[in-house]
Amino acid sequence: MNTNRPLDELGFPAVVISRLLESDFVSTDDVQNLQPAELGSATGLSLKESAEVVRLVSATSISEPQDVLQIIEDESDIPHIVTFCEAIDTLLGGGIPLRAITEISGTPGIGKTQMCLQVCVSVQVPVSVGGVGGQALFIDTEGSFTSSRIKDMASHAVHHVQSISTDNPDAATFTVESILKGIHYFRCHNYIEVLAVIRHLPTLLQSHPNIRLVVIDSVAFHFRHDFSDNVARTGLLCQMTHSLIQLAGSHNLAVIVTNQMTTKIENSGSSQLVAALGETWGHCPTLRLSLHWQHHIRVATLIKAPHIRTSSVNFQVTVAGIRDISSGSVTQNMAEAQNSKKRKWTSDDS
C-alpha cells in the first residue's frame, strides 16, 4: 500500500504549507525519518511547528496490517549472502541475511574483520550461481581494512565460482577486478564521521543501487572511546540502528557491524567476556554472532536470532578466506591461537 501523500492534504496552516513547499518538502515521503530540529533548520519553521508536522506525517504513514501467513512467506523469501563456510551458513539459516543487522563480536584476532572482508567478496557472487550479485560498502573505524587481503580472497572466490560454472556467462564476468571495483570504502576517524556516512547512505544508495551489503568495522571503536555519557551514547546508537534497519529493508541489503568485547563483573565477583556497548545495544541487531577460541579452534556461536536455534560451529581462516574446518587444519589453528596469545601478552606488557 502506497502511503505517500501530498503535505497540503494534511490540514496544516497555510503559512506552514508555504514554508514546506518553498523548501521542496512536497509529500510525506520527503519528511519521513527527519527529526523536528532537522525539519525546522531546513524550512525555518519553529520547533513546535516542525514537531507537529513530523507527528502528523508519522500518523499518516501507518500502513495496512499484514496477515501472519504473508509475513511467514516474506521471511522465507529473504536472500542470504554465503560466507564460503558451509557450517556458518547453515548456522545462520543460509548465510548473512538481507534486510537485517548482523553483529559479529569477539576478541582481537579471532576473525571478525576477516569475516567482513569475506562477505564483501561473496556478496558479489552472481545470482545465477546462487549469490545475490550485489556490491559492498565498508565503513572502517579501526584501520583494519586490507586491500591485499581482499585481493587474495577475491582470487580464490573467482577460481571457485568459475570452476563450478564453466558454461555460465555470468561466472566469466566475476573477476578479481570486478570484485575490487564492487567494494566502496570509507575510513572514519571519529563517531561524527560514522554518523555522517550513515546520514549520507540514502543518497549513496541512489547512485549505487547494486549495494547489497553495508559493513561497519567496528561499531564499538569510536562509541566506546569518544563518549563518557553512556545514556547519550546509547541514544545515538539506537538512532543509528533505526536508520540502518530502515535502509536494510527499503533497499534490500544486509548490514554487518562488528563489536569488541569487554569484561562484565557479576554480583558474585566472577567475571566473563561479553560484547561491548551494554545490554540496550544488545537488542538492536537482528542477529548476534560471537566468535571465540575453544581448544585452539575458532568457534562461531549464534547467541541471538529470530526463528533460529542457538548453537555453535567450528570454522577457520585460511589464505582463501573463511572456510569449513578440517582435521588437517587443527595444527594450524593451534599455532595461530598461540601466536595470538603471544601478541596479546606482548601488547599487555608494553
Side-chain angles (χ1 to χ4, degrees):
M1 177 182 176
N2 184 9
T3 58
N4 189 29
R5 294 177 56 188
L7 291 173
D8 56 10
E9 292 183 358
L10 302 186
F12 295 123
V15 63
V16 171
I17 288 295
S18 177
R19 288 283 183 89
L20 290 169
L21 296 179
E22 288 173 359
S23 304
D24 294 326
F25 290 93
V26 179
S27 67
T28 53
D29 278 359
D30 298 331
V31 180
Q32 282 287 6
N33 304 323
L34 289 180
Q35 298 295 322
E38 295 171 325
L39 183 62
S41 176
T43 61
L45 293 171
S46 68
L47 185 59
K48 182 178 180 181
E49 290 170 328
S50 299
E52 182 63 11
V53 171
V54 170
R55 185 187 70 80
L56 285 177
V57 167
S58 298
T60 60
S61 300
I62 299 174
S63 59
E64 291 295 318
Q66 285 182 287
D67 60 71
V68 175
L69 179 60
Q70 183 63 50
I71 293 174
I72 293 174
E73 290 175 349
D74 290 345
E75 289 176 347
S76 66
D77 291 336
I78 293 177
H80 293 74
I81 305 169
V82 298
T83 66
F84 278 73
C85 175
E86 185 177 358
I88 290 179
D89 290 341
T90 301
L91 178 71
L92 297 174
I96 305 293
L98 272 61
R99 308 176 207 163
I101 298 179
T102 301
E103 178 200 66
I104 302 174
S105 62
T107 55
I110 191 61
K112 301 186 298 296
T113 298
Q114 298 297 310
M115 187 84 72
C116 293
L117 297 178
Q118 176 67 74
V119 182
C120 284
V121 171
S122 55
V123 71
Q124 302 185 57
V125 172
V127 174
S128 59
V129 191
V132 300
Q135 296 182 350
L137 171 67
F138 197 105
I139 301 172
D140 183 7
T141 70
E142 299 187 37
S144 55
F145 184 90
T146 308
S147 56
S148 59
R149 185 71 179 111
I150 279 282
K151 192 172 181 180
D152 287 340
M153 291 182 175
S155 178
H156 285 85
V158 167
H159 176 75
H160 174 72
V161 168
Q162 293 186 353
S163 66
I164 64 174
S165 307
T166 54
D167 298 328
N168 190 323
D170 290 337
T173 63
F174 183 65
T175 65
V176 172
E177 182 178 354
S178 72
I179 292 172
L180 298 179
K181 285 184 176 180
I183 302 173
H184 310 278
Y185 175 81
F186 282 102
R187 175 70 169 98
C188 295
H189 297 86
N190 53 59
Y191 79 91
I192 297 295
E193 293 182 359
V194 174
L195 295 176
V197 171
I198 292 173
R199 180 68 60 85
H200 179 63
L201 280 181
T203 302
L204 182 67
L205 292 171
Q206 286 182 354
S207 59
H208 296 81
N210 290 330
I211 290 178
R212 290 291 176 268
L213 171 68
V214 174
V215 173
I216 305 177
D217 183 30
S218 73
V219 69
F221 187 71
H222 294 310
F223 283 93
R224 288 185 74 186
H225 299 290
D226 297 351
F227 276 90
S228 57
D229 186 343
N230 288 341
V231 175
R233 180 185 74 181
T234 300
L236 274 178
L237 283 169
C238 289
Q239 290 180 24
M240 183 183 75
T241 306
H242 179 69
S243 298
L244 288 172
I245 198 64
Q246 284 191 323
L247 289 171
S250 60
H251 291 271
N252 197 31
L253 54 84
V255 177
I256 296 178
V257 297
T258 66
N259 195 359
Q260 300 171 344
M261 304 297 286
T262 188
T263 302
K264 180 180 179 181
I265 307 298
E266 305 289 350
N267 293 333
S268 61
S270 61
S271 63
Q272 62 172 330
L273 280 176
V274 297
L277 300 178
E279 294 183 4
T280 301
W281 159 257
H283 297 290
C284 294
T286 316
L287 295 89
R288 305 188 78 190
L289 189 67
S290 175
L291 310 183
H292 54 95
W293 292 101
Q294 183 175 346
H295 305 303
H296 312 298
I297 295 175
R298 287 181 169 93
V299 178
T301 299
L302 186 64
I303 58 177
K304 175 191 174 185
H307 320 306
I308 303 176
R309 181 173 58 88
T310 299
S311 56
S312 300
V313 297
N314 299 335
F315 72 100
Q316 63 175 324
V317 178
T318 71
V319 173
I322 304 298
R323 294 294 187 270
D324 288 287
I325 198 165
S326 61
S327 57
S329 62
V330 172
T331 302
Q332 178 182 350
N333 277 278
M334 290 175 65
E336 289 182 359
Q338 292 298 327
N339 290 334
S340 177
K341 290 180 180 178
K342 289 178 182 178
R343 288 194 295 270
K344 181 180 186 300
W345 293 333
T346 304
S347 174
D348 289 344
D349 291 340
S350 60

